[in-house]
Amino acid sequence: MPILAAMFDLTKRAVVLTGATGNIGPAVIRAYLAQGAHVAIAVRDPAKGAALKAELGGGGRLMEAVADPADRQGMERFVEQVLRVWGRLDIVANLVGGYAASAAADGDLAAYRASWDQKIATAVTATAACLRPMRARGYGRIVSVASTAALKGEKGAAGYAMANAALVRWTESLAEESKREAFQAMRRVE
Ligand SMILES: NC(=O)c1ccc[n+]([C@@H]2O[C@H](COP(=O)([O-])OP(=O)(O)OC[C@H]3O[C@@H](n4cnc5c(N)ncnc54)[C@H](OP(=O)(O)O)[C@@H]3O)[C@@H](O)[C@H]2O)c1
């Protein structure tokens, strides 16, 4: 098998994905399915989830269930369901987001907090729920989708830019922590 194809061979991987019902979600799900992955989507609206499942198919490799990515208990239940059905969870893909205007000069803390809750509360909570089984197996991949506003502030989108930047830093921090954990897990096996 060519090296690149092997790198993206996800036939043995199960993905938990949030933000499935947005603009980007369906394309990302299609890409995961095309690489052989199993994909479980946590949706807030059952009608949207059912419509997406009907559109994408996926056979037994696409599962949808109602769970608010910002609700820890709901996500714990969702993860349990994934583990019950597929027996594994390897990747969590955090796609929740959505552009919202808010000027930096307005000091509109409520608007900034709304962006924070939408982007950070969902990614942190969904990921935290997935980490337990990942840690237990010593394997996990965290994918967080952010905007280029994370790298450079945008006129009229202060809260959006702040939340995206925070998501990047949080994901990097988690990587630093879990890299060491994975190393320890490997050392234990050796
Ligand atoms: N589209 C772009 O051009 C673009 C460019 C750069 C970066 N991005 C980033 O890519 C990600 C996806 O973008 P998108 O265009 O697909 O966004 P979108 O079309 O606005 O979709 C947003 C998704 O997030 C969910 N969501 C929104 N607020 C939520 C909340 N408070 N709690 C739980 N779920 C919530 C929505 O679920 P419901 O259907 O239930 O509302 C939907 O699935 C975002 O993080 C965005 O910042 C997008």
Side-chain angles (χ1 to χ4, degrees), residues 32-40 57-63 86:
Y32 274 128
L33 290 174
Q35 297 309 124
H38 288 62
V39 185
R61 290 196 290 117
L62 179 58
M63 171 199 304
W86 291 334

Side-chain angles (χ1 to χ4, degrees), residues 69-126:
D71 173 39
R72 180 66 181 265
Q73 286 186 344
M75 284 307 295
E76 296 278 0
R77 283 193 295 273
F78 180 81
V79 164
E80 284 307 318
Q81 189 180 345
V82 173
L83 294 172
R84 237 185 353 262
V85 178
W86 291 334
R88 62 185 307 142
L89 196 181
D90 306 281
I91 299 167
V92 54
N94 298 305
L95 267 64
V96 170
Y99 180 85
S102 61
D106 288 348
D108 186 350
L109 289 175
Y112 307 158
R113 282 194 186 108
S115 282
W116 177 274
D117 285 345
Q118 184 191 52
K119 192 102 189 171
I120 305 302
T122 54
V124 169
T125 305

Side-chain angles (χ1 to χ4, degrees), residues 16-174:
V16 161
L17 187 142
T18 67
T21 52
N23 293 311
I24 290 179
V28 176
I29 296 167
R30 276 196 191 91
Y32 274 128
L33 290 174
Q35 297 309 124
H38 288 62
V39 185
I41 57 174
V43 298
R44 294 190 295 183
D45 179 343
K48 283 190 186 177
L52 195 54
K53 174 95 173 69
E55 179 192 336
L56 297 178
R61 290 196 290 117
L62 179 58
M63 171 199 304
E64 42 89 19
V66 175
D68 182 345
D71 173 39
R72 180 66 181 265
Q73 286 186 344
M75 284 307 295
E76 296 278 0
R77 283 193 295 273
F78 180 81
V79 164
E80 284 307 318
Q81 189 180 345
V82 173
L83 294 172
R84 237 185 353 262
V85 178
W86 291 334
R88 62 185 307 142
L89 196 181
D90 306 281
I91 299 167
V92 54
N94 298 305
L95 267 64
V96 170
Y99 180 85
S102 61
D106 288 348
D108 186 350
L109 289 175
Y112 307 158
R113 282 194 186 108
S115 282
W116 177 274
D117 285 345
Q118 184 191 52
K119 192 102 189 171
I120 305 302
T122 54
V124 169
T125 305
T127 303
C130 294
L131 279 176
R132 184 184 50 77
M134 289 176 169
R135 280 181 164 141
R137 289 182 54 232
Y139 181 93
R141 296 289 183 269
I142 318 298
V143 180
S144 296
V145 175
S147 157
T148 49
L151 307 175
K152 189 173 186 311
E154 274 189 18
K155 183 182 174 189
Y160 181 71
M162 290 156 74
N164 274 281
L167 179 65
V168 172
R169 294 286 95 81
W170 175 79
T171 307
E172 287 172 350
S173 300
L174 179 59

